[in-house]
Amino acid sequence: MPFLTITTNTKINNHQDVSERASKFTASLLNKPESYVMVKILSEQPLLFAGTNEPAAHVKLKSLGLPENNTTELSSKICSFIKTQFNINSERIYIEFTNPERHMWGWDKTTF
């Protein structure tokens, strides 16, 4: 259910380690089983923010039952995670939150 996408213009030396940390982080953040978490990390992407190509990130978090009244706290925690993993300051991060309807999220030949 949870799908975390991180797009950044920075270089990542070990995608596997970062992906595993991001998966565990997402499961913990949303209190969901990690067995449902999917993570996609795109590094060294052309990304210009505020007119510069300094380190930046675009993050998308999509999850069924995403607590929409708690996105400020989620944003803070995600920004802290991105800072720790990629050394990107929070003012250089945009985050998109999506809470799809269950019939709009497919898995294992069906929907949720």
Side-chain angles (χ1 to χ4, degrees):
M1 292 177 283
F3 181 32
L4 179 71
T5 304
I6 302 169
T7 304
T8 181
N9 55 359
T10 62
K11 182 177 181 177
I12 299 171
N13 292 322
N14 194 332
H15 273 267
Q16 186 65 33
D17 286 347
V18 173
S19 296
E20 288 172 7
R21 286 192 296 271
S23 179
K24 290 180 187 332
F25 166 76
T26 303
S28 174
L29 181 71
L30 298 174
N31 197 26
K32 302 265 185 166
E34 190 178 2
S35 59
Y36 285 112
V37 175
M38 182 179 280
V39 173
K40 178 168 75 172
I41 299 177
L42 303 166
S43 64
E44 298 183 89
Q45 299 297 302
L47 189 60
L48 189 73
F49 184 52
T52 76
N53 63 352
E54 293 174 28
H58 176 224
V59 180
K60 294 180 184 179
L61 179 60
K62 181 184 284 191
S63 182
L64 298 174
L66 186 81
E68 294 181 16
N69 61 342
N70 205 20
T71 54
T72 299
E73 181 181 343
L74 295 174
S75 179
S76 177
K77 290 179 179 180
I78 291 169
C79 285
S80 293
F81 178 81
I82 297 295
K83 174 67 173 174
T84 300
Q85 299 302 313
F86 305 97
N87 199 29
I88 298 171
N89 294 326
S90 61
E91 68 271 8
R92 305 262 323 148
I93 302 169
Y94 272 159
I95 304 168
E96 288 183 57
F97 296 101
T98 306
N99 181 12
E101 296 182 35
R102 292 188 170 277
H103 72 278
M104 297 299 290
W105 195 261
W107 173 71
D108 196 18
K109 300 180 186 174
T110 187
T111 61
F112 285 93

